[in-house]
Amino acid sequence: MKKRIPIMLLTTLLASLNLAHAEDEAKKPSNFISVKQISMELAMDIAHESVLACREKGYNVAAVVVDRNASVQALLRDTMAARFTMQIAEEKANAVIMSGASSAEFRANRADIKDEMNEVDGILMLEGGLKIESGGSLLGAIGVSGAPGGEKDAECAKAALDKLMERLEMMD
């Protein structure tokens, strides 16, 4: 005659085995790193809001959002912005990714190598690039170019990030 194990006992036994396995797994070093990524939609919205913020002030600009690896994720150029603004905006964003600081901070902090860094392909140490962060994690960067002065480019990028802050915070 077969003995039957009561379902409560079986459930308790399985739960304790799962718990022991989970504890063993927690003690092992992880082979994976959790990385937050900015979505395509959010990247496009940040670029769009940056262009609109500058347009409201009468500036025709380009805005480029790069991910944490400096790969372009969104690029928008206002109708009358010069085609070179796209390259300049991307290179400002790349400077942010390389340095971990806004392009203005990077330029100020490393004035000693500013000229040399501007010779590096894909990097431009001009004001107008800002970090895109969520919960202390670097998601990417926004670069804006075309306003009469890098500080004005940075203001447009900041206006976009401020407007979309709630969506960025929801990524935590």
Side-chain angles (χ1 to χ4, degrees):
M1 181 171 147
K2 288 184 182 178
K3 282 194 171 187
R4 294 184 179 215
I5 300 173
I7 191 75
M8 275 303 253
L9 180 60
L10 184 59
T11 304
T12 304
L13 180 61
L14 288 174
S16 66
L17 287 173
N18 284 337
L19 181 60
H21 177 72
E23 288 173 356
D24 286 345
E25 288 297 312
K27 292 177 186 175
K28 289 182 183 177
S30 176
N31 293 326
F32 299 97
I33 297 171
S34 178
V35 176
K36 292 180 183 178
Q37 298 274 13
I38 188 169
S39 71
M40 176 189 68
E41 293 80 10
L42 184 52
M44 287 186 333
D45 290 346
I46 292 169
H48 187 243
E49 291 298 332
S50 296
V51 170
L52 290 179
C54 271
R55 184 187 281 175
E56 287 175 8
K57 296 176 180 186
Y59 313 137
N60 290 291
V61 301
V64 177
V65 174
V66 298
D67 66 14
R68 59 185 293 116
N69 298 310
S71 295
V72 174
Q73 207 160 348
L75 182 153
L76 287 176
R77 181 185 63 83
D78 206 352
T79 307
M80 299 303 291
R83 72 179 181 99
F84 301 104
T85 59
M86 295 180 290
Q87 177 184 346
I88 294 167
E90 180 182 352
E91 292 180 359
K92 288 178 182 184
N94 290 344
V96 172
I97 296 299
M98 189 185 87
S99 68
S102 75
S103 58
E105 289 174 291
F106 185 32
R107 180 182 170 99
N109 293 342
R110 294 310 313 260
D112 60 324
I113 61 168
K114 175 181 60 76
D115 294 334
E116 290 86 353
M117 289 306 303
N118 282 332
E119 297 297 321
V120 175
D121 189 35
I123 302 290
L124 195 55
M125 291 180 64
L126 293 175
E127 195 167 349
L130 300 177
K131 294 190 289 186
I132 301 172
E133 296 180 295
S134 176
S137 293
L138 180 65
L139 302 175
I142 172 84
V144 176
S145 177
E151 72 284 349
K152 292 175 178 70
D153 292 329
E155 288 170 10
C156 296
K158 181 160 180 8
L161 293 174
D162 289 347
K163 184 171 185 176
L164 298 166
M165 184 56 65
E166 187 174 312
R167 284 177 57 194
L168 286 165
E169 288 173 351
M170 288 175 51
M171 295 181 66
D172 288 341

